[in-house]
Amino acid sequence: MKQIDLFAFDMNCVGHIQQGMWRHPRDRSDRYNTLEHWTSLARLLEDGRFAGLFLADVLGVYDVLGGSPAAALSHAVQVPLNDPMLVIPAMAAVTKDLGFAVTANTSYEAPYLLARRLSTLDHLTGGRIGWNVVTGYLDSAARAMGQDAQRAHDDRYDVADEYLAFIYQLWEQSWADDAVLKDRAQDVFADPAKIRPARIAGKYMSMQGVHLCEPSPQRTPVLFQAGASSRGQRFAATHAECVFVNATSRPAVAETVRNLRRAVAEAGRVPAHLKVYVGATVVTAATDAEARDRREEYERYASKRGALAHAAASLGLDFDAYGPDDPIGAVTSNAIRSNLDAARKAQPAFTTRGFIDRLQLGGRQTPIVGSGETVANELEAWVTEADVDGFLFARTVTPECFESLIENVVPILQRRGLQRTGYAPGTLRQKLFPAGTARLPSAHPARALRA
Amino acid sequence: MKQIDLFAFDMNCVGHIQQGMWRHPRDRSDRYNTLEHWTSLARLLEDGRFAGLFLADVLGVYDVLGGSPAAALSHAVQVPLNDPMLVIPAMAAVTKDLGFAVTANTSYEAPYLLARRLSTLDHLTGGRIGWNVVTGYLDSAARAMGQDAQRAHDDRYDVADEYLAFIYQLWEQSWADDAVLKDRAQDVFADPAKIRPARIAGKYMSMQGVHLCEPSPQRTPVLFQAGASSRGQRFAATHAECVFVNATSRPAVAETVRNLRRAVAEAGRVPAHLKVYVGATVVTAATDAEARDRREEYERYASKRGALAHAAASLGLDFDAYGPDDPIGAVTSNAIRSNLDAARKAQPAFTTRGFIDRLQLGGRQTPIVGSGETVANELEAWVTEADVDGFLFARTVTPECFESLIENVVPILQRRGLQRTGYAPGTLRQKLFPAGTARLPSAHPARALRA
């Protein structure tokens, strides 16, 4: 049985994927703005030998439902939302092996500055950083950044390609491995002959500069991506080391995984250098009956309106513009096109009421509910049938959801040889790919620059 | 005797102000890229009851000397340079009262993103954040950010004025004090009627958006500024709560302090709401003789070429274009004009050799050298004669310089009633201005928005 990677899927906010859970008396997600919230979570995840904490992020607020941010603000749907990078250093200080995959946006963050932020994190964590590359999908973000509207969906990936071409140079090429000498006697910290500027003169950006940071343990952070459209998957096949996919059905995910591994090979890379993780929402307890009770209890706090506000933004669809039972026809959307396709596919007679009726625990993901054994069986089926390499566990009632997962499910996965009982030495990249090295494998396009 | 504030003046890099000190056998500044380096510094400074740690920053590399970054890279002159914000959360986790003033640039950081970063830090630290507002001065930064060249000096302040007009709205106005309800029973986290977008349609920027963060303890961080030109001083008088000035001479600084306090009053603010801090380089030991020996020992590691690379960029002047004894005439510079004026004033027959001869400990600042008593006398003279409110202590051999300051000088300042023996409760703003509140005083222009 292959060993898999477990990630907590979280966000520096109150309501992430399962809307309304903050209302539960045992939920502590409104403590997101304290350091102690994050350091205790990090310790917990490392005790459970999680590969890492995946921190989602979004710029802008969800203002598609009713053409207003009111529902998102009212139900704390990913707003308020603090910066995800700034909780990592404190978590790194209280852990040794846990990885941190952090989301940053190629449409809005300046590459020269983001390169320094991620290099700094890679230094401070001893090489435990991943970067989830996103291109954004909210017009509200574009307006807040001084643009009239965001670029069209596929153009955003073209921008991202140029962005990566520049940032790869900063990370992989600007400072040679032997640039830093620290020769105290000769007063030479670094050899200028071994340091050169990164340059791009592209369609979308033209810039040049020496990277501000000396080489960090991984240089380029482990590259995460979640593109589900065909353009997104092409981008992922070119760049990503870890891809996150939605749990539609095992056959559908199996096909996605096959396609991704083939696309990676076609891009000239090694298929084994790609991990595919699937999202999962788990409610577990000592027995199946207790888990079902717990799930029912959680469901009482779910926010359907909050979930609708979230879905409206993700799908680019204002449900409020339709009566509850009106069929929802063609939608022209600048948001995540693949999400809308998936929603239609899941529900052929697509109406607002039908959509709401399918929500579970304030979200669109079908939860896995049961004892440790039951959940472990289900997860194992995903691994064997869909060939996924691990899971991103969304949070429900926090931190109880992660505590119960680590208490009930993790030991069984460990007995079955699926889950690590310790960490491989080295960087996050080496923990995820134990046969590899701290740096990107040579077949990755970023490495071609170093030849 | 008024109580003053002590700050460590540091930067997330090897060589900050005193170039070459990294070569000293007891220096640990090349450990800047580890968390432990920063957490132990923070604990030390809090033990010494420092008001805070001031983290300088610069974007771009110093490439004025010889028209190349070679000297800066060779001598580690503020390059490599990691992101300053990312070391703060780990330091905050091991301290309770120490403040953190961090530099961020209004020419290159997007206001919507910087607002979230600083609000996040203000949340995570419990309100211990200050923002040192800078406008940048390096063409190398402009090129790395995709611009042909930076804006002219005074235009950069005009941009900063618009920037602040927008970011103040995000911090002070977007979320009302009573916006966050956390009403679990009614499923209302925040009241959308109490939340509104910030908007600006200015000469340099047009944007709008709801602030992503709920109100943090201070809302607007304590505002630091170091503008020394007349345009910079006007900007400081309008916005700054804490101004950092260079230690030219006590009479000259006394005049600057008078001018600043008057300018603050003229801007309609309360002069007592302004603190003026002066930079200081201290070498101290148990006795005057030991301190002199130590200074001599340090001097052996100073890098004159590194100091020249630093000065060339600060002054916008390529010393290498002149023979060592050639008089340096008029220079057209896009850099920090006031620095060049000061250099000329200090040395009427302005030559490269003359400039180098005046360097001390690899920098342009005259060190204060002596026993705790001697140094305390000198600092006290600055307070009484120049009316400064505290000091920013540059580092020499690190962390020895701060350890010896806290061992030798701080207890004497405390006995004289100059230095705090404990911290006032509350936020950084309340520790610096004990008569005030966590939020900006009402006469500050940012508060006018809230009326």
Side-chain angles (χ1 to χ4, degrees), chain A residues 248-308:
Chain A
T248 45
S249 71
R250 285 203 280 270
V253 169
E255 192 190 335
T256 300
V257 173
R258 269 194 308 274
N259 289 343
L260 277 166
R261 298 203 197 283
R262 189 169 47 229
V264 163
E266 285 166 5
R269 297 172 57 205
V270 180
H273 294 167
L274 178 81
K275 300 273 188 186
V276 186
Y277 304 129
V278 66
T281 302
V282 168
V283 181
T284 185
T287 66
D288 284 346
E290 282 176 52
R292 282 192 299 269
D293 287 350
R294 180 172 282 185
R295 180 254 166 87
E296 249 176 64
E297 189 213 356
Y298 286 7
E299 189 69 58
R300 289 203 293 274
Y301 297 94
S303 174
K304 287 187 185 297
R305 186 75 185 158
L308 205 63

Side-chain angles (χ1 to χ4, degrees), chain A residues 32 57 74 81 189 212 214, chain B residues 32 74 81 116 189 212 214:
Chain A
Y32 74 100
D57 193 33
S74 188
L81 173 63
F189 183 86
L212 290 170
E214 60 181 298
Chain B
Y32 74 100
S74 188
L81 173 62
R116 183 170 72 144
F189 183 86
L212 290 171
E214 59 181 298

Side-chain angles (χ1 to χ4, degrees), chain B residues 151-192:
Chain B
R151 291 180 194 278
H153 177 279
D154 285 8
D155 290 354
R156 300 200 292 269
Y157 281 104
D158 294 342
V159 171
D161 276 329
E162 287 194 5
Y163 193 108
L164 288 178
F166 182 65
I167 208 165
Y168 285 160
Q169 287 181 59
L170 289 170
W171 282 329
E172 296 289 329
Q173 189 186 55
S174 184
W175 292 62
D177 283 340
D178 54 353
V180 175
L181 302 175
K182 298 196 188 182
D183 183 338
R184 288 173 168 77
Q186 300 299 316
D187 189 14
V188 178
F189 183 86
D191 180 356

